[in-house]
Amino acid sequence: MAFKLVLVLFLCSLPSILCEKNNDVTIIVKGSTIEAEIYDSFVCATLDWWPPEKCNYNECPWGNASVLNLDLNHSYLSKAIQAFSPLRIRVGGSLEDQVIYGVGSLESPCDPFTYNSGGLFGFSKGCLSMERWDQLNRLFQNTGAIVTFGLNALYGRHQGRKGAWQGAWNSSNARDFMEYTISKGYPVDSWEFGNELSGSGVSARVGAQQYGEDLIVLKAIIDDLYNKSHSKPLIVAPGGFFDNQQWFVQLLEVSGAGVLNAMSHHVYNLGAGNDPRIIARIMDPNYLSRFADTFRNVKLTIQRHGPWSSAWVGEAGGAYNSGSRLVSNTFLNSFWYLDQLGMASKYNTKVYCRQALIGGNYGLLDLETFIPNPDYYSALLWHRLMGKGVLSIDFSGSSFLRAYAHCSKHKSGVSILLINLSKSTGFGVTVRNNLNIDLAEVSVLKQTVSWYGEKVYDGSETREEYHLTGKDGNYLSRIMLLNGNPLQLTKDGEIPELSPVLTAINSPISIAPLSIAFVVFPKFEAKACA
């Protein structure tokens, strides 16, 4: 017996592939305390400003998906937003710092973006007319959307050397726009200030000292304009990459307590849209896990230097430059996307905005037809099943199995997300509660019952399972299956029912290779979720 134990330990000290033959996994959920907390409106999608002339890699995947030209009356668009009840929509993107608002002294002319090789990102300034803003708000109000709007943070500055912009922000145009918004009764949940101007920036950057001083100005404007409101919009910034921690520290310290409500950062960790390694990266658990360091550092920065603030992902498309036309709109991308939602939640991220609702190759909706892509349904399932409370879990086994646990959404119990990145190995997963894990160690009981707290269930109770796979076993399919059935709009253009299969609560959960599953345990005793 001792020799066998030593042999097993030796084999498991070798590369992990030798130990992946054991595909039975036990997950222990710690339901006594909340590890982190997200907003109910955690899932968010972006409406971007890119015009049809935005091109990457010899293709132009934006068409009429811009804030300025999107068909706001398309029934599929409205129904896709309404299904979330509510969906947070962030209006923003690379060109937001070139947007002027057609109001006050700037009512005319109000021209769209045009190609300009000497302009920021290769485009001229563009204008949002108040007529278009009215149309957008009709969509938002009719669908119950929660609005985060990204303000132009370069207005009034002048361009210096090497992409550095100098001078203070001129708030006059933004103030006129906000006054108009308030006068019309349009609810804006949060105003985001700038896009990718932090640290070294992308095409432009602003120093942290000046940025922090400008946030104080924005805070004063909001306090003044919303002084008669029951609630005030949040301030979100800087909407850039967390590639210079000290820049973010200085931003928090300069702006001071109570000014910046949410510190936002962007995620494009899969590389360029034409990078041939994207598929391999999505399937590599070690690669996916690297980004945990960024989430951890954002969390620690806020804890140490700005505890009045919270962490948001203001924009995340996986692959930058409009996404990958071969991957971003396929089932495979949901492995990256859902893993990001789970990972971000663990580090107390309150909101996660997907680039984009429509447009590019990474749109949740198809650019031409407005039909949902696979990631749309992944986002909708997360939104409906995974509640605010994030629970800690323990499990050992293959690194190719990812697991995340939350309190269930607006009901008792626990919801678990399981992601199997392996092409060849399936897993039998047993979920247990740490409330009386010591009792469950009795070998006979371990084989015959599952423990979900102080009660033992005899098999008459059931759990809900939502298994996601690619059509015909193709992980690059544009059609995703839910429990073997294709997720497609109904004949009336409605979002289909997302119905689970019910399974005996004591049976192991079977996770097929390259599949995803949400599993809901309605009777799981998690004291922290009560």
Side-chain angles (χ1 to χ4, degrees), residues 103-269:
V103 63
S105 61
L106 296 176
E107 287 186 6
S108 61
C110 195
D111 299 321
F113 296 102
T114 57
Y115 179 77
N116 180 350
S117 60
L120 205 62
F121 294 102
F123 290 94
S124 69
K125 292 181 179 179
C127 179
L128 172 65
S129 70
M130 293 306 95
E131 179 183 7
R132 183 62 174 178
W133 183 228
D134 293 340
Q135 294 168 357
L136 285 160
N137 277 278
R138 281 196 289 273
L139 173 69
F140 298 152
Q141 292 180 332
N142 289 339
T143 58
I146 298 172
V147 179
T148 296
F149 189 94
L151 293 168
N152 180 346
L154 289 182
Y155 192 76
R157 308 186 202 273
H158 60 275
Q159 187 171 2
R161 297 178 57 191
K162 297 181 180 180
W165 286 63
Q166 308 296 328
W169 175 55
N170 183 335
S171 63
S172 59
N173 189 221
R175 185 184 180 106
D176 288 344
F177 175 55
M178 295 167 78
E179 284 183 332
Y180 178 87
T181 300
I182 294 169
S183 72
K184 301 290 283 190
Y186 299 150
V188 173
D189 171 83
S190 38
W191 296 99
E192 188 173 30
F193 188 61
N195 185 86
E196 296 178 354
L197 303 175
S198 58
S200 57
V202 177
S203 288
R205 69 180 188 276
V206 176
Q209 177 71 34
Q210 183 62 63
Y211 216 118
E213 293 173 2
D214 295 331
L215 286 179
I216 295 172
V217 172
L218 177 58
K219 171 66 172 173
I221 292 172
I222 291 176
D223 287 345
D224 181 30
L225 296 182
Y226 289 89
N227 67 329
K228 295 182 180 179
S229 301
H230 295 297
S231 60
K232 296 177 182 178
L234 303 178
I235 294 178
V236 184
F241 294 101
F242 195 80
D243 55 4
N244 184 333
Q245 185 173 16
Q246 187 54 42
W247 192 99
F248 284 79
V249 169
Q250 188 177 0
L251 179 70
L252 289 167
E253 292 178 344
V254 171
S255 57
V259 173
L260 184 59
N261 303 109
M263 195 171 77
S264 56
H265 65 107
H266 292 180
V267 180
Y268 287 93
N269 61 320

Side-chain angles (χ1 to χ4, degrees), residues 34-47:
I34 296 295
E35 179 182 20
E37 190 169 278
I38 62 175
Y39 287 170
D40 276 334
S41 57
F42 173 75
V43 173
C44 163
T46 294
L47 284 179

